Amino acid sequence: MQAEYRQRREQLMAKIGNGTAIFRSAPASVMHNDVEYAYRQDSDFFYLTGFNEAQAVAVLAPHHPEHRFILFVQPKDREKEVWSGYRCGVDAAKEIYGADEAYPIAELNEKLPQYLEKADRLYYHLGRDRSFNDTILKHYQSLLRTYPKRGTGPIAIEDTCTIIHGMRLVKSQVELELMRKAADIAVEAHNHAMAFTQPGRYEYEIQAEIEHIFRKRGAIGPAYPSIVASGVNACVLHYIENHRQMQDNELLLIDAGCAYGYYNSDITRTFPVGGKFTAEQKTLYELVLEAQKQAIAQVKPGNPYKLIHDTAVRVLTEGLVELGILFGEIDKLIEEEKYKPYYMHRTGHWLGLDVHDVGVYQHGDDKPQILQPGQVLTVEPGLYIVPDTKLAEDQPETNPRWVGIGIRIEDDILVTPTGHEVLTAGVPKAVDEIER
């Protein structure tokens, strides 16, 4: 993997020219009192370094004659390591992670100026760490004050996200191998959950079965809090309490994925707890499934990203009109977003190091993001007939027969040179495949 990280750094340095880029590690996060959550590195930092410790700073200075990649890290400290785990330390930051130079993090303020004073631009993302933001801005302002004496130094700050997030949007073969593994593990977990589900069991039992497989297969754990939503709970998009007892004649919506080697999967399936759809459940389910199929068909190089959502919205709106849940002319209903009480979210998102991964979806009103090979995204239409739905203007009252049904179907899709590949196709979704 070190060759992969080095290649990414070289690519970024080629883009910043005579600039200097600075990246800050994620902070440790406290669970309660003096106990910390398992550490998870900032995705941009990890993408460039593979380094998984807190209190670290990476500097890329392609103009420096000797040190193009510099790491500031926590030094070795035997007493602290006994309590909180081994540290890489300064020497290993060069030996293992390929830094041209490394320093203790305490020397950042002293050493950083030498990597900034010859740069023409500073690349840094003003993130949530206000204290570190202030540190970088102080260095920048100091160099601006002395610029007239030297005639060198950064005279502008540019957000690193504009460059690195474009890089992250297209996955390498190494990344795709990790994403396939994350998808395969989640596929097994969902298939097991379908077989394990039955009336009388609790949502948390299903969650336990899913997450057991995640860890058993070597995943870091869930990619996000697992959603196991039965009955009306499926109408809550981010329901994570998972404490309800499941009943016959209702649906179970499972939205769960795992993180493997820092890369994520994200799958949703909805199926009958007792093995058979009711007539109403089946009708709405097949509508959502058709919306997903047609949306996935639009995933191909050269198509605008927004076409995926537009396709799903049209299929769902046409179906809701046919069922009498919506009333009116299709184009006008879509233009006025009258479908939104029943379908309130977008049809997918980029997927990668982050579950809702980085990357632009639209370059202004008249320049859409165009799909290209190597991008990975989810396609996840849904319908949610919430009991207390606030109806759109001039729309009919919802027939009680539909109320309380929530459905979402989600797959992970790779854009290929000739079309697409469904990475999560191993989880069945046709009615005759999931009924029992």
Side-chain angles (χ1 to χ4, degrees):
M1 278 298 292
Q2 286 308 312
E4 177 88 2
Y5 298 127
R6 183 170 59 253
Q7 183 179 10
R8 296 171 187 171
R9 293 193 297 269
E10 292 295 335
Q11 184 181 353
L12 188 141
M13 286 191 284
K15 292 178 182 291
I16 67 174
N18 204 48
T20 294
I22 300 172
F23 296 88
R24 172 70 159 167
S25 63
S29 184
V30 175
M31 180 186 293
H32 48 78
N33 198 11
D34 59 350
V35 177
E36 295 179 351
Y37 285 98
Y39 185 68
R40 207 281 183 182
Q41 185 59 276
D42 173 83
S43 293
D44 286 346
F45 194 99
F46 189 84
Y47 180 79
L48 293 170
T49 68
F51 190 77
N52 195 37
E53 292 182 23
Q55 298 186 47
V57 172
V59 178
L60 299 181
H63 52 82
H64 195 278
E66 298 178 86
H67 308 154
R68 303 173 78 240
F69 170 40
I70 307 96
L71 278 174
F72 293 84
V73 302
Q74 296 180 87
K76 299 289 289 181
D77 185 322
R78 178 58 181 159
E79 183 176 346
K80 291 182 179 179
E81 289 178 70
V82 166
W83 287 94
S84 56
Y86 295 110
R87 297 177 179 178
C88 167
V90 174
D91 292 337
K94 293 189 288 185
E95 296 167 5
I96 298 175
Y97 294 95
D100 298 315
E101 186 55 273
Y103 305 102
I105 189 66
E107 296 181 13
L108 178 70
N109 283 325
E110 174 192 347
K111 302 293 187 182
L112 186 58
Q114 65 180 299
Y115 302 112
L116 299 177
E117 58 190 10
K118 299 296 184 183
D120 60 9
R121 186 174 294 253
L122 174 58
Y123 291 85
Y124 173 69
H125 173 64
L126 290 166
R128 288 171 288 186
D129 188 337
R130 293 187 177 182
S131 176
F132 192 71
N133 290 345
D134 289 343
T135 295
I136 298 303
L137 290 173
K138 285 177 182 177
H139 282 289
Y140 171 65
Q141 290 166 335
S142 175
L143 289 165
L144 274 182
R145 285 194 298 270
T146 58
Y147 181 86
K149 297 178 181 179
R150 299 186 322 275
T152 64
I155 57 174
I157 297 180
E158 184 172 331
D159 196 323
T160 51
C161 295
T162 60
I163 299 176
I164 193 170
H165 291 180
M167 294 169 53
R168 283 176 54 188
L169 186 54
V170 177
K171 273 59 179 178
S172 69
Q173 289 304 311
V174 170
E175 291 178 290
L176 290 176
E177 288 178 14
L178 293 169
M179 294 193 73
R180 289 182 191 280
K181 183 70 172 181
D184 289 346
I185 294 171
V187 163
E188 180 182 334
H190 273 264
N191 286 337
H192 174 69
M194 280 189 182
F196 184 77
T197 297
Q198 64 182 43
R201 286 193 164 137
Y202 286 83
E203 294 166 342
Y204 57 74
E205 294 182 76
I206 311 303
Q207 177 183 1
E209 295 291 318
I210 290 168
E211 295 179 4
H212 170 69
I213 289 176
F214 289 169
R215 292 296 287 142
K216 182 180 179 182
R217 290 283 307 276
I220 299 169
Y224 49 91
S226 299
I227 297 168
V228 183
S230 61
V232 72
N233 289 341
C235 293
V236 180
L237 299 184
H238 292 160
Y239 169 83
I240 57 173
E241 284 80 3
N242 302 345
H243 54 46
R244 182 175 178 273
Q245 188 178 38
M246 300 177 295
Q247 306 300 321
D248 201 1
N249 295 319
E250 64 185 21
L251 298 178
L252 177 62
L253 185 157
I254 300 175
D255 186 339
C258 68
Y260 183 87
Y262 263 69
Y263 286 82
N264 300 286
S265 54
D266 186 358
I267 305 174
T268 307
R269 288 294 187 269
T270 310
F271 56 93
V273 170
K276 295 291 183 182
F277 287 100
T278 66
E280 290 78 13
Q281 291 167 353
K282 182 178 179 181
T283 296
L284 292 181
Y285 181 87
E286 290 186 324
L287 175 55
V288 174
L289 183 59
E290 181 61 24
Q292 197 212 27
K293 288 179 178 178
Q294 292 196 32
I296 289 175
Q298 303 304 325
V299 180
K300 61 183 71 172
N303 272 358
Y305 177 88
K306 70 185 295 291
L307 183 58
I308 300 166
H309 180 67
D310 292 346
T311 299
V313 165
R314 180 164 292 276
V315 173
L316 293 174
T317 303
E318 290 173 349
L320 291 173
V321 169
E322 186 176 338
L323 295 173
I325 297 173
L326 288 179
F327 176 79
E329 193 273 321
I330 301 297
D331 288 341
K332 188 175 181 182
L333 289 171
I334 293 173
E335 180 184 355
E336 296 178 355
E337 299 184 330
K338 295 291 180 72
Y339 60 85
K340 274 202 164 181
Y342 307 109
Y343 180 46
M344 62 292 293
H345 60 79
R346 302 295 289 183
T347 304
H349 52 80
W350 303 124
L351 184 68
L353 276 170
D354 293 308
V355 177
H356 287 208
D357 208 22
V358 297
V360 173
Y361 293 94
Q362 182 80 18
H363 302 273
D365 293 338
D366 58 352
K367 191 178 180 183
Q369 172 69 271
I370 301 300
L371 297 176
Q372 58 181 301
Q375 295 171 337
V376 182
L377 57 139
T378 67
V379 177
E380 49 177 309
L383 284 174
Y384 314 90
I385 317 298
V386 182
D388 56 353
T389 297
K390 183 179 180 180
L391 299 172
E393 187 178 359
D394 301 325
Q395 291 304 304
E397 290 290 332
T398 307
N399 190 313
R401 64 190 287 222
W402 308 112
V403 173
I405 298 176
I407 297 165
R408 185 165 63 254
I409 307 171
E410 177 182 23
D411 281 294
D412 303 344
I413 317 294
L414 166 65
V415 185
T416 66
T418 58
H420 63 263
E421 177 188 350
V422 182
L423 301 178
T424 50
V427 188
K429 56 188 176 183
V431 169
D432 61 354
E433 292 178 317
I434 61 179
E435 282 194 323
R436 62 181 189 273

